[in-house]
Amino acid sequence: MSLITVHVDYRLALSEIKQRIQTTQMRAVLAANNELLSLYWYIGQKIVTLQQAQAWGGAVVEEMAKDLQAEHPGIQGFSRTSLFAMRQFYLFLSPRFTIVPQAVGQLPWGHIRTILAKIKDVDIALFYASACAENGWSRSILDLQIEQDLHLRQGLAPSNFKAVLPAPQSELAQQTLKDPYMFDFLTLSQRAVERDVENQLVSNITRFLLELGKGFAFLGRQYPLEVNNRSYFLDLLFYHTRLKCYVVVELKTGEFKPEYVGKINFYLSAVDDLLRGEGDQPSIGLILCKDKTRLDVEYALRDVNKPIGVSSFITKEIPIDIQTQLPTVAEIEEELAGKL
DNA sequence: AGGAGCGGAGGGGCATGTCT
DNA sequence: AGACATGCCCCTCCGCTCCT
């Protein structure tokens, strides 16, 4: 056996061990978290049972918090507030579940408290719990997604995926698109043209990718394609790692027009011919426009054989009347001078 | 080293319910 | 009706980790 082979074997083994250490650590943390949540569930259940059986109120919670804290001075997490949260946790989920549901068991306690505080419907809560576990959101991102009603937008974009893609791929593709997209990190005037939107999207690429969702890998803007000695440029090009296909995005700052479909259809054929590789699924088109009517989109997509979706997007626009009402620099300086 | 981001925790206080 | 109890939400603080 040559030295080089030994070297390669060793490197391979080392990387496999490293990976195993990581997954074991992760599983241990998850298991510990699950145990903790089971404890919280149990305490919540105990409090509810006591309150029902003895017709006790919150005073018992107060008392229990005091006693537990006195009993375990080093251990945190048993304050009055925390015990109330455990009680709420149990009351909320116990009509449907006898133990901590799987999606919820993967979340940190702080995330669960956020969901409990903001969501009153069990199904919607479970939606956010699984989305959060799947995407690894921090608490502030979870907050943002709830505020922007992700559960109402996911999978709602009108498309022809069902008609032109085979079953599992069409379902997955549909779930990937939202309607509308929230680009509220963009500040645009009424006259914004496509290139402005594109510029801002690219300079806010982290927020943009977060809003698009998991799996979108950014390949470029104004991506050049050579067809028949003529150059065409795609507004934005992505590869979706889970769908295993290219995603062509066309930006329109105005209302949806049927001819946009023809254009993106052409781009999709070009991408399928020039870029699509052996294992790649058919490329998908997404038209992002400021406005659309569902019927227009349905007609425009009806007899198109490339998978295309249409979503609108919402930005933080500065209305004209406010723009003209904004103070001038001189006015601000004057104001400041008065204060000092 | 220190700044930023994250998650855990608890205090303060508000809204509603209940008792006198 | 007013006083008091109860439930729980918002905000902030703290400690930890990771990155620069």
Side-chain angles (χ1 to χ4, degrees):
Chain A
M1 204 192 281
S2 78
L3 248 174
I4 290 171
T5 326
V6 170
H7 194 63
V8 168
D9 284 351
Y10 174 76
R11 289 281 281 269
L12 191 66
L14 188 65
S15 94
E16 279 170 2
I17 291 173
K18 265 159 53 184
Q19 195 156 19
R20 186 62 182 262
I21 291 174
Q22 245 181 1
T23 53
T24 304
Q25 274 176 336
M26 261 178 64
R27 273 161 54 182
V29 169
L30 267 177
N33 189 54
N34 228 313
E35 280 300 312
L36 189 68
L37 293 179
S38 298
L39 172 67
Y40 288 173
W41 177 277
Y42 170 80
I43 294 175
Q45 184 182 27
K46 275 279 178 233
I47 292 172
V48 170
T49 320
L50 270 180
Q51 285 181 324
Q52 277 167 355
Q54 314 287 335
W56 286 341
V60 69
V61 178
E62 198 112 5
E63 194 59 35
M64 195 179 280
K66 254 188 244 159
D67 286 340
L68 284 175
Q69 283 174 321
E71 202 80 30
H72 304 285
I75 304 179
Q76 290 190 309
F78 300 109
S79 71
R80 184 184 75 113
T81 321
S82 297
L83 292 185
F84 266 116
M86 293 171 203
R87 177 179 171 279
Q88 193 196 3
F89 177 49
Y90 173 76
L91 278 177
F92 186 65
L93 291 169
S94 60
R96 289 266 298 273
F97 301 93
T98 49
I99 54 165
V100 180
Q102 200 238 342
V104 178
Q106 298 176 42
L107 298 185
W109 180 232
H111 286 55
I112 294 173
R113 280 179 54 169
T114 299
I115 293 177
L116 288 178
K118 302 195 168 188
I119 309 283
K120 299 295 160 223
D121 181 286
V122 179
D123 287 315
I124 299 175
L126 291 174
F127 167 85
Y128 281 105
S130 15
C132 191
E134 191 178 333
N135 296 290
W137 292 333
S138 73
R139 204 167 65 188
S140 53
I141 300 299
L142 173 64
D143 267 334
L144 188 77
Q145 299 286 18
I146 293 175
E147 253 167 54
Q148 298 184 339
D149 292 327
L150 176 70
H151 67 284
L152 295 179
R153 299 184 288 125
Q154 184 123 32
L156 275 187
S159 73
N160 60 357
F161 294 163
K162 225 176 161 175
V164 302
L165 288 174
Q169 181 75 356
S170 65
E171 179 64 20
L172 197 57
Q174 185 65 54
Q175 280 309 314
T176 305
L177 299 195
K178 304 174 197 170
D179 188 35
Y181 282 93
M182 294 290 179
F183 297 156
D184 58 353
F185 48 90
L186 303 185
T187 47
L188 298 167
S189 68
Q190 306 273 11
R191 287 181 295 98
V193 288
E194 273 104 43
R195 198 59 70 88
D196 286 341
V197 181
E198 193 188 307
N199 280 337
Q200 292 205 35
L201 285 177
V202 172
S203 60
N204 285 288
I205 193 76
T206 335
R207 291 287 308 273
F208 181 38
L209 286 173
L210 176 69
E211 178 59 13
L212 283 180
K214 205 182 180 183
F216 281 93
F218 182 57
L219 294 184
R221 59 190 293 213
Q222 295 302 316
Y223 195 95
L225 284 181
E226 195 82 21
V227 180
N228 212 3
N229 286 330
R230 282 189 63 180
S231 290
Y232 297 90
F233 297 91
L234 311 177
D235 283 351
L236 296 165
L237 180 65
F238 296 88
Y239 187 84
H240 197 282
T241 52
R242 200 125 31 115
L243 295 169
K244 304 232 178 305
C245 68
Y246 287 93
V247 180
V248 176
V249 176
E250 275 295 300
L251 279 171
K252 297 292 166 197
T253 52
E255 204 174 306
F256 171 79
K257 293 195 188 107
E259 53 259 41
Y260 297 159
V261 173
K263 190 176 168 199
I264 204 164
N265 198 32
F266 172 82
Y267 286 162
L268 288 173
S269 301
V271 169
D272 277 345
D273 272 2
L274 299 171
L275 300 177
R276 185 177 162 195
E278 195 85 343
D280 292 335
Q281 299 291 322
S283 307
I284 289 176
L286 172 62
I287 299 170
L288 277 175
C289 52
K290 279 271 13 182
D291 246 323
K292 65 171 191 309
T293 68
R294 245 193 140 74
L295 198 63
D296 282 351
V297 174
E298 273 168 28
Y299 277 172
L301 292 182
R302 185 172 291 174
D303 297 313
V304 174
N305 62 357
K306 295 278 178 205
I308 295 171
V310 180
S311 290
S312 34
F313 63 92
I314 292 169
T315 59
K316 198 170 25 183
E317 279 187 18
I318 310 172
I320 297 284
D321 54 331
I322 291 184
Q323 277 180 60
T324 53
Q325 280 170 29
L326 287 178
T328 63
V329 176
E331 281 167 348
I332 292 171
E333 280 174 351
E334 207 174 306
E335 179 77 11
L336 282 173
K339 291 264 160 61
L340 294 173

